[in-house]
């Protein structure tokens, strides 16, 4: 358990706290009522005892296991390295529903999103999709994302051939069409958009503000200007511009491998 904690990049202070919890049961039903450090211990123990065995039984490479479980460390960092708060997200990783393959993450997903406009989409409610997630903390380089998509197509064909799907799907502020109104033309984000068919966009600012500025401020003048993206977005918003999210798809048949 402690060896895995180190491999996935957990902060040393958290690894030290886990030393007193190595005998904990890998019982995910305890997560809602546990404190953040206990949640972390349960998840790492589960990853080591159960998830890793599932990977090995399917023949999935160790590097994908470690890269996927690294998200535990990321979400501990987001919680000030006080332990794991966002356990419901990490359960997807532990239950072998979500995998990090290169730059991007991929979740086997039976679409149950009531907010989507299915009249605009080529799939129906309840259909299988591969949900593309964009992990934080790494540059969003087009060539790396394309390679990730190619490898993901092969991954699901090799290890989950019984999961039938047609489309990769993503719902993200990164795919908002109007980003081009304030971002540099050669920005990695606008290049990333080229991978997707952006079906439609919606002016929902919450996700973009959180990812660009960290949190919502009452006054636009209070938003930080520490990065070029923050400065551009802030100017755009002060001129009345709205941030939002985009709904993007990729037909797996359009990905050449």
């Amino acid at each position: 358990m402690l060896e895995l904690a180190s491999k996935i990049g957990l902060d040393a202070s958290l690894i030290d706290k886990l030393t007193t919890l190595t005998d904990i049961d890998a019982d995910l039903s305890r997560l809602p009522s546990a404190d953040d450090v206990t949640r972390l211990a349960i998840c790492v123990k589960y990853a080591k005892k159960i998830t890793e065995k599932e990977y090995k039984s399917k023949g999935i490479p160790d590097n994908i296991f470690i890269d996927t479980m690294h998200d535990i460390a990321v979400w501990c960092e987001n919680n000030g390295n006080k332990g794991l708060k966002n356990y419901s997200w990490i359960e997807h990783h532990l239950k072998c529903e979500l995998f990090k393959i290169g730059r991007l993450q991929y979740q086997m997903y039976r679409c149950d999103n009531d907010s989507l406009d299915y009249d605009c989409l080529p799939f129906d409610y309840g259909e299988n999709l591969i949900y593309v997630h964009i992990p934080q903390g790494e540059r969003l380089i087009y060539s790396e994302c394309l390679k990730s998509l190619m490898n993901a197509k092969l991954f699901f064909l090799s290890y989950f051939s019984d999961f039938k799907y047609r489309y990769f799907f993503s719902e993200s502020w990164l795919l908002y069409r109007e980003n081009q109104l304030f971002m540099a033309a050669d920005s990695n984000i606008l290049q990333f958009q080229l991978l997707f068919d952006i079906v439609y966009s919606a002016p929902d600012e919450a996700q973009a503000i959180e990812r660009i500025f960290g949190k919502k401020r009452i006054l636009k003048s209070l938003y930080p200007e520490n990065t070029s993206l923050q400065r551009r977005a802030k100017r755009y918003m002060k001129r009345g511009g709205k941030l939002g999210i985009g709904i993007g798809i990729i037909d797996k048949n359009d990905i050449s491998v």
Side-chain angles (χ1 to χ4, degrees):
M1 172 176 161
L2 297 179
E3 181 183 3
L4 177 59
S6 179
K7 284 183 177 180
I8 66 175
L10 272 181
D11 185 80
S13 64
L14 284 175
I15 295 176
D16 185 56
K17 291 177 181 178
L18 292 183
T19 59
T20 63
L21 295 168
T22 55
D23 293 332
I24 199 165
D25 290 333
D27 182 1
L28 297 184
S29 69
R30 291 184 56 197
L31 291 175
S33 60
D35 62 75
D36 291 353
V37 173
T38 303
R39 284 172 177 162
L40 173 61
I42 292 170
C43 288
V44 175
K45 189 65 169 286
Y46 191 98
K48 180 62 181 176
K49 184 177 179 180
I50 298 173
T51 310
E52 187 175 28
K53 288 182 179 179
E54 182 67 16
Y55 271 66
K56 290 184 181 302
S57 72
K58 291 182 176 295
I60 301 173
D62 290 343
N63 68 294
I64 293 181
F65 172 71
I66 296 299
D67 287 349
T68 301
M69 295 306 123
H70 173 66
D71 224 20
I72 296 174
V74 170
W75 285 97
C76 285
E77 290 173 9
N78 290 345
N79 191 31
N81 280 321
K82 298 174 183 177
L84 183 63
K85 187 175 292 294
N86 193 1
Y87 64 89
S88 59
W89 169 245
I90 296 300
E91 284 189 271
H92 296 303
H93 307 53
L94 299 176
K95 295 177 180 179
C96 295
E97 299 169 357
L98 182 149
F99 305 88
K100 187 172 189 289
I101 304 169
R103 176 61 182 89
L104 304 172
Q105 293 172 330
Y106 302 90
Q107 178 186 358
M108 292 184 290
Y109 175 62
R110 184 176 179 274
C111 188
D112 59 357
N113 189 337
D114 292 321
S115 68
L116 294 176
D117 185 351
Y118 290 96
D119 290 336
C120 299
L121 293 164
F123 55 81
D124 297 320
Y125 182 95
E127 193 167 324
N128 285 345
L129 305 171
I130 299 295
Y131 200 136
V132 181
H133 300 280
I134 306 95
Q136 66 188 67
E138 303 172 47
R139 294 183 64 197
L140 198 63
I141 299 173
Y142 177 90
S143 59
E144 292 182 4
C145 293
L146 178 58
K147 181 179 179 181
S148 175
L149 283 163
M150 294 167 64
N151 287 337
K153 180 179 177 179
L154 291 173
F155 174 88
F156 289 107
L157 180 62
S158 299
Y159 303 112
F160 295 94
S161 58
D162 57 337
F163 185 80
K164 306 301 181 183
Y165 72 98
R166 173 73 179 272
Y167 294 99
F168 289 84
F169 163 84
S170 190
E171 181 180 17
S172 173
W173 73 276
L174 296 167
L175 298 178
Y176 189 52
R177 285 198 188 103
E178 281 69 16
N179 286 346
Q180 62 185 304
L181 299 178
F182 68 91
M183 292 184 182
D186 61 349
S187 73
N188 286 335
I189 292 174
L190 295 187
Q191 294 299 307
F192 176 72
Q193 289 188 357
L194 298 177
L195 294 168
F196 290 82
D197 174 14
I198 300 177
V199 182
Y200 66 91
S201 293
D204 182 348
E205 295 189 314
Q207 187 186 90
I209 287 174
E210 178 187 354
R211 298 303 172 86
I212 297 173
F213 299 109
K215 64 179 181 180
K216 187 175 180 62
R217 270 74 169 183
I218 296 175
L219 300 176
K220 293 182 176 65
S221 60
L222 297 178
Y223 284 116
E225 300 183 43
N226 299 321
T227 68
S228 61
L229 177 58
Q230 288 177 341
R231 292 190 290 273
R232 286 174 176 269
K234 184 175 178 178
R235 286 197 300 269
Y236 174 68
M237 294 168 66
K238 289 177 73 173
R239 294 196 302 265
K242 299 291 185 181
L243 305 178
I245 59 172
I247 310 300
I249 61 170
I250 304 171
D251 189 326
K252 73 172 183 180
N253 296 322
D254 292 336
I255 300 175
S256 300
V257 295

